[in-house]
Amino acid sequence: KIPGTEIVIPKGVVVNIYNLEMMTHEDNFMNAKDFDPENFHPDNNPNKFAYQAFGHGPRNCIGMRYGLLMVKLSLVYMLRRHRIVKGKTMEKELKLTNELNHFVGGLPATFEKR
């Protein structure tokens, strides 16, 4: 029996969960039908369990962890051979926007070979 309902699922029955329906439902995201990174901004109150592309919990997609590891290794590889140089249009004093980890005017920088 599903708690809070009168629904009983017999033992051995396969239950399918349609992830696409959850990910594109207007109750879960502001602009659910469009690719909009702002859907995940905390101010828009996203349903953190509705986006199931990588799953959640201890059995989530190992590809996600592998992808994050590759990004980190790529960054280490770049920084070992290059240095980050302040861009010509960078402000002397950086100011954060109201958004998470964004600077007013961006963060203009270039890479130079060591």
Side-chain angles (χ1 to χ4, degrees):
K1 184 174 179 177
I2 298 176
T5 70
E6 296 298 319
I7 300 171
V8 176
I9 301 173
K11 185 176 181 178
V13 170
V14 175
V15 177
N16 289 319
I17 298 172
Y18 295 98
N19 295 342
L20 185 60
E21 178 65 26
M22 286 193 307
M23 292 189 289
T24 58
H25 199 275
E26 295 292 330
D27 289 344
N28 295 323
F29 296 105
M30 184 178 67
N31 298 318
K33 303 282 187 215
D34 301 325
F35 173 74
D36 184 1
E38 291 296 315
N39 281 334
F40 298 97
H41 194 279
D43 291 346
N44 295 327
N45 197 25
N47 181 341
K48 66 180 178 179
F49 294 110
Y51 187 74
Q52 293 286 324
F54 295 108
H56 290 282
R59 293 185 179 91
N60 66 347
C61 177
I62 61 169
M64 179 180 67
R65 290 190 295 264
Y66 177 75
L68 289 173
L69 179 64
M70 289 297 105
V71 167
K72 291 174 186 177
L73 285 173
S74 299
L75 188 58
V76 167
Y77 181 83
M78 283 289 293
L79 292 175
R80 284 179 57 213
R81 290 169 172 75
H82 299 82
R83 63 188 189 104
I84 300 174
V85 179
K86 182 172 87 167
K88 294 176 183 168
T89 60
M90 185 183 286
E91 298 290 328
K92 190 170 187 175
E93 184 177 320
L94 296 174
K95 295 181 180 118
L96 286 171
T97 64
N98 292 335
E99 311 234 352
L100 189 63
N101 298 328
H102 288 122
F103 292 101
V104 174
L107 191 60
T110 58
F111 286 94
E112 282 185 359
K113 213 164 185 57
R114 288 186 186 261

